[in-house]
Amino acid sequence: MSTAEDGAPKRVGLRQLPRLVRVALRIAWTAGRADLLFSTALQFVGGVSIVALLLLARGALESLLDAVSRGGSMADVLPWILGMSAVAAAQFFASTVQRERQQILGDLVTRYVQGRVLDVTAQVDLATFDEPEFHNRVERINASNHQALQMVYGVSGLAGAAFGAIGALVAVVAVAPVLLPLLALVIAPAWLAASRRGAAFWDFFWKMTPRDRQRQYLAGVLRERNAAKEVRAFGLAGYLRGRYDDLYTYRITELRRISRRQVYISLTANLVIGAVLAATLLLVAWLALRGTVTIASAGIAVAGIAVVGGRLASAGWSVGALTESARYVDDYLAFTALLPEVERTRPTGAAPRGFHRLAVSDVVFTYPTGEEPALRGVSLEVSTGEVVALVGENGSGKTTLAKLLAGLYQPASGTIAWDGTDVSTVDPDQLRRQVAVIFQDFERFHLTVRENIGLGRVEAVDDIDGVRAAATHAGADRFVESLADGYATMLGPEFAGADDPDEPTGRRGTDLSVGQWQRIALARAFYRGAPFVILDEPTAALDPRAEQELFDTIRTLLDGRTVLFISHRFSSVRSADRIYVLDEGRVVESGSHAELMAAEGLYAELFTLQAAAYLDVAIPDSRSP
Ligand code: ADP
């Protein structure tokens, strides 16, 4: 699947705004219905209380002026003042509650958006992970997962602003309708400035993502346990930190440049808004001087203008900010659309249960970012119950072939067929259930020993007897039993406790030797119970005795199953039923050990080289004349 894009930030027009607002609302609604409703309702309370405050203020002012002219007392204004403070207190309380609810809603929306991103990343095919643009997209969405909520707030804020503004407008218009068009003028500069700002930051965000990812990677290297030893052993901290800083400096320099421009733009917008408000106020003063409006009405008009002006300007800013958020939501939408695409294009054929004969015919494969094909027309056969070995020099395509056989990549041309069924037509999940594969760089899960093995058959992860049996087959049982918590031991010293994070045993997680890890990985493969087992250098880290034992017993261990393994150790390879020799993405020889030795080709050369190294005998240089 391709997610390649032209790399240019996508524009979102005003016309798409309603659709994206609906998407944002749907996200917030799905993520936290009750919190959304509650915080929106409270926002309206805020809007209503502004109108109430204005009306009460007018009443207070009128009764005050009346009391002054009549010689009345404080009692005349007291109810108004009390009313105002009650409303103000209620408004304050409502906004506090709303803030709390918004925070929860923020987390709910983040969880939802990140969850959807994980749904996509967990489903797309492996080749997608080789595309940098895919990772840029994931990063962009993760960095902006609050934007959907921002849009929702933008909309409800807009509604609140409109609500408050309408109330105040009524007060203003009652005084002098001529003020209305004048006041409406404040929207335009605010909106224009906000949308310019939005576009500038969106471009910045898009452009920075690849660098941000690089920076985060460097931070990870400086932070994580795995890299820590090499960072220290090679004294890399200063160098990596320097590169990290350079990337940050670049970001901040760009940010300054863009922010500076935004300051000028918003200054201009605010000057225009100020001028419009001043003109409106002057008009009110003129009307009051002419006696067209009363002093009380003029006073309310002045207050109303301040409120309406502020609200309308913020409505303008909101629309601008809304278009900004809409870009992020659109990006998210495009990303999550990958999932139905994956499901639509996923083959649905029923996978065969094992095979009698697996045939690879003329398979060609190039990695998405590869210049040259990694496999250039590979053909081979594996029959059920056979132990087949792949050998060849580094980069000859062995691991790539293993990945294709495991159904993780699809060939560009050629076929892989299980008893005549082309596996590219069957449901890949079903197919993978028939395959147990352990790669050279197998995953070391920071989970318990039991899970590390049990994940081989995730539906039976809790079957401790089965897990123990698999561990015994892989020669892991003895050292596991000697661990402090046995099968419940947490693997990974950076994590404390065992199985249940709420009930840690008090003991810290531990680590294993590379060879022990390899046995755990082997146990995981055995536990899968799949008819086809692929082992990519399964014994590289085992000691010679352990390796010998494993290969001596592999036929009994995996009785009836088919094994394809990759190894550089010819002592293991020679026991295979058939050996395929790869060179530069092609099968150059195949046969049993004896046949290949007799052929005196690449296999014989590599075998002799290794044997000679062990025996410390001089070998004749085949290239010398
Ligand atoms: P082997 O297992 O025989 O050492 P591989 O199958 O890992 O070799 O690699 C075969 C070729 O494919 C090499 O040239 C390697 O550089 C290239 N390659 C491996 N993985 C990738 C990848 N993810 N993207 C691009 N090229 C790759």
Side-chain angles (χ1 to χ4, degrees), residues 130 367 369-370 374 393-400:
D130 286 324
Y367 283 100
T369 49
E393 293 177 281
N394 292 334
S396 57
K398 303 180 298 293
T399 298
T400 307

Side-chain angles (χ1 to χ4, degrees), residues 71 85 151 188 194 199 224 229 265 326-327 363 389 476 494 519 604:
S85 32
M151 266 192 104
E224 279 154 22
K229 54 182 180 302
I265 293 174
R327 295 184 174 95
V363 159
E494 56 268 61
R519 285 175 188 266

Side-chain angles (χ1 to χ4, degrees), residues 116-138:
R116 296 285 294 159
V117 171
L118 293 180
D119 287 343
V120 177
T121 57
Q123 291 294 324
V124 292
D125 56 29
L126 195 59
T128 308
F129 282 85
D130 286 324
E131 293 171 10
E133 183 49 29
F134 174 74
H135 298 279
N136 288 340
R137 297 179 77 173
V138 172

Side-chain angles (χ1 to χ4, degrees), residues 202-240:
W202 169 245
D203 286 351
F204 167 76
F205 178 64
W206 187 288
K207 210 171 87 188
M208 279 301 136
T209 304
R211 283 190 178 81
D212 286 348
R213 277 182 45 225
Q214 234 166 40
R215 183 166 50 80
Q216 280 155 18
Y217 165 73
L218 291 168
V221 171
L222 287 168
R223 203 166 43 207
E224 279 154 22
R225 176 171 170 264
N226 252 350
K229 54 182 180 302
E230 232 157 300
V231 168
R232 278 152 188 75
F234 284 94
L236 302 180
Y239 176 76
L240 296 172

Side-chain angles (χ1 to χ4, degrees), residues 126-127 129-130 365-376 391-403 409 440 536-537 566 568 582 584-585:
L126 195 59
F129 282 85
D130 286 324
F365 176 77
T366 309
Y367 283 100
T369 49
E371 304 265 302
E372 297 277 310
L375 300 177
R376 307 163 189 259
V391 299
E393 293 177 281
N394 292 334
S396 57
K398 303 180 298 293
T399 298
T400 307
L401 182 57
K403 287 180 192 159
Y409 285 109
Q440 242 171 318
D536 187 353
E537 302 215 33
I566 298 171
H568 287 293
L582 268 84
E584 295 185 353

Side-chain angles (χ1 to χ4, degrees), residues 49-375:
S49 39
I50 286 193
V51 180
L53 272 177
L54 272 176
L55 294 176
L56 288 167
R58 186 170 68 179
L61 202 56
E62 274 170 2
S63 57
L64 186 64
L65 291 174
D66 191 41
V68 169
S69 60
R70 275 194 304 108
S73 72
M74 283 291 282
D76 295 326
V77 284
L78 194 62
W80 296 105
I81 305 273
L82 286 180
M84 279 176 76
S85 32
V87 171
Q91 186 193 19
F92 184 70
F93 180 64
S95 78
T96 310
V97 177
Q98 191 208 3
R99 213 172 31 242
E100 300 304 328
R101 279 299 181 117
Q102 275 190 358
Q103 177 143 7
I104 296 170
L105 189 58
D107 256 29
L108 288 171
V109 167
T110 300
R111 180 176 83 168
Y112 178 82
V113 169
Q114 286 187 348
R116 296 285 294 159
V117 171
L118 293 180
D119 287 343
V120 177
T121 57
Q123 291 294 324
V124 292
D125 56 29
L126 195 59
T128 308
F129 282 85
D130 286 324
E131 293 171 10
E133 183 49 29
F134 174 74
H135 298 279
N136 288 340
R137 297 179 77 173
V138 172
E139 168 60 23
R140 278 205 305 271
I141 294 166
N142 275 339
S144 64
N145 53 39
H146 56 284
Q147 294 287 350
L149 195 57
Q150 205 91 320
M151 266 192 104
V152 174
Y153 290 153
V155 174
S156 59
L158 210 57
F163 207 72
I166 287 167
L169 265 178
V170 172
V172 174
V173 170
V175 175
V178 66
L179 298 176
L180 179 62
L182 207 55
L183 267 180
L185 275 182
V186 303
I187 295 182
W191 172 23
L192 278 176
S195 41
R196 292 277 302 261
R197 181 175 192 281
F201 276 100
W202 169 245
D203 286 351
F204 167 76
F205 178 64
W206 187 288
K207 210 171 87 188
M208 279 301 136
T209 304
R211 283 190 178 81
D212 286 348
R213 277 182 45 225
Q214 234 166 40
R215 183 166 50 80
Q216 280 155 18
Y217 165 73
L218 291 168
V221 171
L222 287 168
R223 203 166 43 207
E224 279 154 22
R225 176 171 170 264
N226 252 350
K229 54 182 180 302
E230 232 157 300
V231 168
R232 278 152 188 75
F234 284 94
L236 302 180
Y239 176 76
L240 296 172
R241 184 78 170 72
R243 284 194 58 175
Y244 171 88
D245 267 343
D246 290 346
L247 285 164
Y248 232 142
T249 306
Y250 182 85
R251 181 187 168 88
I252 295 197
T253 313
E254 277 293 289
L255 193 61
R256 273 192 206 291
R257 195 175 60 77
I258 292 164
S259 288
R260 210 171 303 130
R261 277 198 55 153
Q262 298 320 307
V263 170
Y264 295 131
I265 293 174
S266 107
L267 186 68
T268 317
N270 280 316
L271 284 176
V272 176
I273 292 171
V276 173
L277 288 180
T280 323
L281 292 171
L282 282 173
L283 189 61
V284 174
W286 183 69
L287 290 172
L289 279 175
R290 271 188 25 168
T292 316
V293 297
T294 65
I295 297 294
S297 297
I300 293 311
V302 169
I305 286 162
V307 173
V308 176
R311 289 270 161 156
L312 287 182
S314 83
W317 293 114
S318 294
V319 177
L322 216 55
T323 28
E324 179 182 0
S325 294
R327 295 184 174 95
Y328 296 86
V329 172
D330 190 48
D331 200 30
Y332 160 81
L333 207 58
F335 185 75
T336 50
L338 292 177
L339 196 56
E341 177 64 15
V342 169
E343 276 155 14
R344 196 180 56 77
T345 53
R346 179 189 295 262
T348 52
R353 300 185 72 80
F355 54 78
H356 293 292
R357 184 171 159 273
L358 181 154
V360 176
S361 318
D362 214 13
V363 159
V364 176
F365 176 77
T366 309
Y367 283 100
T369 49
E371 304 265 302
E372 297 277 310
L375 300 177

